[in-house]
Amino acid sequence: MSRREFLPYLAATVVIFSVGIAAGYGLAASGDPAADQILKTIMEGVFSQILGDSPVMLAVKIFLNNLQACVLLFLGGATFGLLTFFILFSNGLVIGLFADQIAEKVGPLGLLAGLAPHGIFEIPAIFIAAAFGLALARSVFADARGQGDAAADAARLGGLFLRIVVPLLAVAAIIEAFITPALLHLVV
């Protein structure tokens, strides 16, 4: 897949994710009780499992959690892209919900310090994994019409996933576990 062929998929992931963020932020800002329930569920689920971990264990857990999400974004293409779309939108929604809460508590600088250092690696990894998922969905559609080989495309995209997405996620997890807390401590 050339860069030119890849860019529309990447652009679509940015749009889907951004719409999710806007929806989450709007939901939280509206005071809808659903926003509080979603945040509570996430806090009791994911975050309760990592509180008190050492930075090394935190980095491992963050990496594995993000890797799982990115694998699902990629392999979700096999569902004609429906799972990829749902996961991407949902992740944007959650970030929008948290962005409202975090900005309210620590201000815009705290929000930037909490998200930007690891986000410059993690968010592109998510977008790239989702773009691979959308490209896979196109291959599945073509294969269903007898005009492609989805398995061969999945193998090729899987190799790109391993070379691009996995290293980005590893760097993001290390930064999120070791550097982001120190920056937040300085800012907040």
Side-chain angles (χ1 to χ4, degrees):
M1 171 179 292
S2 72
R3 286 184 186 158
R4 182 174 289 154
E5 292 172 319
F6 181 71
L7 287 178
Y9 299 114
L10 192 59
T13 65
V14 172
V15 169
I16 295 164
F17 193 74
S18 297
V19 169
I21 289 173
Y25 193 84
L27 185 64
S30 74
D32 190 322
D36 291 332
Q37 186 58 43
I38 293 168
L39 289 171
K40 181 181 175 191
T41 301
I42 292 167
M43 294 299 287
E44 290 174 355
V46 175
F47 292 123
S48 68
Q49 297 173 11
I50 61 174
L51 295 175
D53 282 339
S54 70
V56 171
M57 185 54 68
L58 182 60
V60 169
K61 286 182 177 181
I62 289 169
F63 172 75
L64 292 175
N65 182 62
N66 290 336
L67 180 62
Q68 178 183 4
C70 285
V71 166
L72 288 173
L73 283 166
F74 170 49
L75 295 180
T79 65
F80 298 98
L82 295 174
L83 185 60
T84 300
F85 177 87
F86 176 77
I87 292 170
L88 188 59
F89 180 83
S90 298
N91 275 297
L93 184 84
V94 168
I95 288 175
L97 288 169
F98 274 104
D100 178 69
Q101 296 291 314
I102 293 169
E104 186 178 299
K105 289 183 175 130
V106 298
L109 188 57
L111 178 63
L112 186 63
L115 294 178
H118 66 277
I120 60 173
F121 297 98
E122 186 176 305
I123 292 173
I126 290 168
F127 289 163
I128 293 167
F132 288 159
L134 295 178
L136 179 59
R138 179 194 56 111
S139 293
V140 169
F141 276 112
D143 197 5
R145 292 188 314 267
Q147 299 172 341
D149 186 353
D153 288 340
R156 186 176 44 77
L157 291 167
L160 290 170
F161 181 95
L162 291 173
R163 290 193 309 270
I164 299 168
V165 175
V166 173
L168 286 171
L169 292 175
V171 170
I174 291 166
I175 291 170
E176 190 170 359
F178 289 94
I179 296 171
T180 299
L183 285 175
L184 282 172
H185 184 68
L186 289 173
V187 174
V188 178

